[in-house]
Amino acid sequence: MAIITLTTDFGEKDHFAGSIKGAIYSELPDVRIVDISHSVSPFNVPEAAYIIQNAYSSFPKGTIHMIGIDSELNPENKHIAVLLDDHYFICANNGIMSMICSEIAPQKIVEINIHDRVATSFPVLDVFVNVACHIARGGTLEVIGKVIETIKPIKNLIPFVSEERSQIIGSVIYIDNYGNVITNIKRKFFEDVQKTRDYEISARSYKFKKIYEKYSDAINFDIPEEKRYDEGKRLVVFNSSGYLEIAVYKSDNATVGSASTLMGLKVMDTVTVNFAKI
């Protein structure tokens, strides 16, 4: 039984997500449809890329992932289907796949060319559903597109490293439901530049000299709980996806606040790591 996932910026209010599911079920009544997220910020390609990169591998091989972000067809925004890590991805060629492709080489990429056979003003509903159902029935990518070799990259996906390798300049790519701020600096990238040197992480006027393995490592449990005042403590971790994250312990925007609200950080803001001289 085929599995099709949906990741979009459609939200829950409008009919768009429901219409897509109905169209898929009309073609494939026995398919399984899984919502990864419909709450991606509108047209936010890096945010969508981060979500799909961290979700897709939990699904079985052969799963089909439809990504409806900035998907209107135009001369600079073609549609593609990608076979990567034995998963299928259907999306616009706007950089969404470049975060995953930076670590795993695609097995095949095709530029979808069935638009002359499908009248549409809603490509995720019409074109993407058509392609997903074709793949779910066992169809090949070459039938719905022409093979291409490269995809469009996301700008600023890779952090900048100074020539003397004393500084990393990264940026915020995602803010999660807790208001934690995720950067584009991955653990391996950080450690390859660090070479065990001391460091200081700067985000606006806030500075950090330690990265924790998990949030609770920042808490001194030897102090009685009533004297700790831990909620709201600012900290830095490498999160479960391996990205450098600025967080607040037990953050809550309604009470103690979050890393985003307390530090005024938003997507594309700069986060800098300065290393001690060798």
Side-chain angles (χ1 to χ4, degrees):
M1 184 182 296
I3 299 174
I4 297 176
T5 77
L6 302 177
T7 303
T8 77
D9 58 2
F10 297 155
E12 302 294 339
K13 179 180 179 179
D14 299 316
H15 65 279
F16 303 122
S19 297
I20 291 165
K21 293 177 187 179
I24 294 171
Y25 282 128
S26 294
E27 292 287 326
L28 300 169
D30 295 328
V31 74
R32 294 180 181 177
I33 302 175
V34 178
D35 297 299
I36 292 179
S37 177
H38 294 296
S39 299
V40 177
S41 301
F43 304 102
N44 194 320
V45 170
E47 185 175 298
Y50 179 82
I51 290 171
I52 196 68
Q53 181 191 39
N54 290 295
Y56 89 88
S57 60
S58 296
F59 290 87
K61 301 288 188 180
T63 297
I64 303 159
H65 305 279
M66 291 174 54
I67 311 172
I69 311 291
D70 187 27
S71 55
E72 183 175 340
L73 183 70
N74 63 55
E76 296 179 352
N77 201 41
K78 303 292 188 179
H79 295 155
I80 56 174
V82 180
L83 175 61
L84 180 147
D85 197 21
D86 294 326
H87 289 249
Y88 293 92
F89 301 84
I90 306 164
C91 57
N93 190 12
N94 54 17
I96 284 174
M97 289 303 300
S98 62
M99 189 177 287
I100 308 174
C101 293
S102 68
E103 298 184 349
I104 304 173
Q107 294 154 270
K108 186 173 294 183
I109 311 167
V110 302
E111 186 175 289
I112 297 169
N113 60 10
I114 64 170
H115 303 86
D116 58 338
R117 290 173 262 162
V118 181
T120 182
S121 59
F122 185 2
V124 181
L125 174 62
D126 301 312
V127 177
F128 289 13
V129 167
N130 199 306
V131 172
C133 291
H134 167 78
I135 295 169
R137 293 188 185 100
T140 62
L141 296 185
E142 288 86 350
V143 172
I144 51 88
K146 62 177 182 179
V147 174
I148 60 176
E149 299 299 324
T150 59
I151 58 171
K152 186 183 295 185
I154 297 178
K155 293 180 180 179
N156 303 321
L157 177 64
I158 306 300
F160 171 81
V161 181
S162 64
E163 187 174 348
E164 64 277 14
R165 300 183 72 79
S166 63
Q167 185 182 68
I168 296 174
I169 301 176
S171 57
V172 177
I173 58 171
Y174 186 71
I175 297 173
D176 70 14
N177 190 54
Y178 298 95
N180 297 324
V181 175
I182 293 94
T183 75
N184 60 347
I185 303 171
K186 296 208 74 173
R187 180 194 288 266
K188 185 179 185 305
F189 186 94
F190 179 96
E191 292 175 347
D192 286 347
V193 178
Q194 179 195 13
K195 303 295 185 187
T196 73
R197 291 179 290 172
D198 291 337
Y199 54 84
E200 182 177 77
I201 299 165
S202 300
R204 290 193 178 271
S205 60
Y206 297 89
K207 299 184 185 301
F208 305 88
K209 294 180 180 293
K210 184 175 179 62
I211 302 173
Y212 295 98
E213 288 298 316
K214 58 183 186 293
Y215 306 104
S216 59
D217 284 348
I219 307 308
N220 184 354
F221 289 98
D222 293 331
I223 300 174
E225 184 176 0
E226 65 274 11
K227 296 182 179 180
R228 288 204 298 261
Y229 308 106
D230 295 327
E231 292 185 5
K233 182 172 182 177
R234 298 168 179 84
L235 58 105
V236 176
V237 296
F238 282 116
N239 67 17
S240 59
S241 303
Y243 286 86
L244 188 75
E245 175 183 308
I246 301 171
V248 164
Y249 185 67
K250 291 191 175 180
S251 59
D252 184 340
N253 285 329
T255 55
V256 299
S258 68
S260 176
T261 59
L262 292 174
M263 289 182 261
L265 291 168
K266 58 186 183 299
V267 172
M268 298 311 298
D269 278 355
T270 297
V271 175
T272 304
V273 185
N274 290 296
F275 297 100
K277 293 183 179 179
I278 298 176

